[in-house]
Amino acid sequence: MFDFSGTLLRIESTEDWLGAGLAATGIRLSDEEFRATVGRLTEYGALPGGSAPRRMPAHLEALWAERDVSAGQHRAAYGGLALAAGLPEPEPELAQALYDRHMSPAAWRPYPDTGPTLRELRRRGVPVAVVSNIGWDLRPIFRTHGLDELVDAYVLSYELGVQKPDPLIFRTACERLGLPPAEVLMVGDDRTADGGAAALGCPVHFVDHLPVDRRPHGLTPLLDLLG
C-alpha cells in the first residue's frame, strides 16, 4: 500500500500553483503582491498536498479535521483557507481556479524512483494499492504519468467516507489486494495518518515528504525490505 501525496508524487510549489491560477484567470500582480500572496497561502496551508497550515481560522477547524471524508468537505476546507489567506480580486474566481489547478496532472510530479519502484514490484508479482486521504479522483494523475497500469487498486477516503488513520481504509485495501494485513506493507509520509495501518497489523515504512528534486531515492530501499 502506498500513500499518494508526498510519497509517490509531489504537488508543485505554491509559487507555481499561484502562477497557474493567475494565468487561468488573467489576474495580474506586481512582484511584491505575488510574493506576499504566496506567503499568506503558505501560512494558511491553502495548497492541497503542500505544507500544513500554520494558521487555522476557528470557523474551519472542524471542517479541516474531516476534510478528506467527502469531495464537498475537501473543496470547502481548502477553498476556505485560500479565501482566509486573502486573494486578489475577484477572490471567488481565483479560489476556484486554484482548486481546479491542484487536481490537474500538470500540478503533480512523480518522485524520480516512483516509476522504477512500481515497475519492479510489478515484475516481481507484488500487487500495489494506492491508499489516499483525498477529496477527488486521482486516477487521471496516474494515467497521465504512465503509472496507472502499475496500480492494482485505489482506496480513496472520499469514496469510502472515512479517512486515515481509520483502520477501515487499510482493511479495505488489504481486501482488494487479497492479502492479510500482516503481509501488506504500508508506505507513507505521515506518521499519524499512514501509521494507522499498524493497528491493523500491517508493517509500516515512512518516507520524507520532500520536494521531488530533494528525494531521488526515497522508495528504492523498499525493494530490499521486500526481498
Side-chain angles (χ1 to χ4, degrees):
M1 296 186 287
F2 287 93
D3 173 52
F4 164 53
S5 174
T7 300
L8 294 176
L9 294 94
R10 168 79 183 221
I11 191 68
E12 64 190 344
S13 68
T14 304
E15 290 84 354
D16 289 345
W17 177 57
L18 176 59
L22 293 172
T25 55
I27 299 172
R28 299 178 66 86
L29 298 180
S30 68
D31 290 346
E32 182 179 356
E33 290 172 324
F34 181 85
R35 289 193 298 270
T37 304
V38 167
R40 294 194 305 272
L41 289 169
T42 300
E43 182 179 9
Y44 279 85
L47 171 58
S51 58
R54 299 196 295 268
R55 178 181 296 188
M56 176 61 63
H59 71 282
L60 292 176
E61 288 179 355
L63 183 62
W64 174 259
E66 296 187 341
R67 62 193 178 280
D68 296 312
V69 171
S70 73
Q73 286 170 258
H74 191 273
R75 180 180 291 273
Y78 281 103
L81 288 173
L83 292 172
L87 296 174
E89 295 290 345
E91 287 187 343
E93 182 180 347
L94 181 54
Q96 178 68 51
L98 289 173
Y99 190 82
D100 290 346
R101 168 66 184 185
H102 101 274
M103 296 186 291
S104 69
W108 293 88
R109 288 177 58 197
Y111 284 94
D113 57 350
T114 291
T117 299
L118 294 181
R119 282 191 288 272
E120 177 60 18
L121 292 175
R122 178 53 55 96
R123 188 190 70 79
R124 296 185 188 186
V126 178
V128 167
V130 171
V131 184
S132 178
N133 279 354
I134 198 166
W136 48 276
D137 186 5
L138 52 70
R139 294 173 183 87
I141 307 294
F142 280 76
R143 286 196 291 269
T144 297
H145 290 287
L147 301 171
D148 182 61
E149 62 183 13
L150 305 174
V151 178
D152 299 282
Y154 294 92
V155 182
L156 310 182
S157 61
Y158 85 102
E159 294 180 339
L160 200 60
V162 299
Q163 61 188 33
K164 298 180 288 187
D166 191 311
L168 177 59
I169 197 167
F170 303 110
R171 183 179 300 112
T172 300
C174 291
E175 290 172 352
R176 292 183 185 176
L177 293 176
L179 294 168
E183 296 181 15
V184 182
L185 176 67
M186 177 64 207
V187 183
D189 66 293
D190 189 314
R191 273 136 177 92
T192 298
D194 300 315
L200 200 63
C202 297
V204 181
H205 177 79
F206 294 110
V207 295
D208 295 322
H209 189 151
L210 294 171
V212 167
D213 58 357
R214 291 175 52 196
R215 207 198 77 192
H217 304 298
L219 299 173
T220 305
L222 296 174
L223 302 176
D224 294 329
L225 288 175
L226 294 171

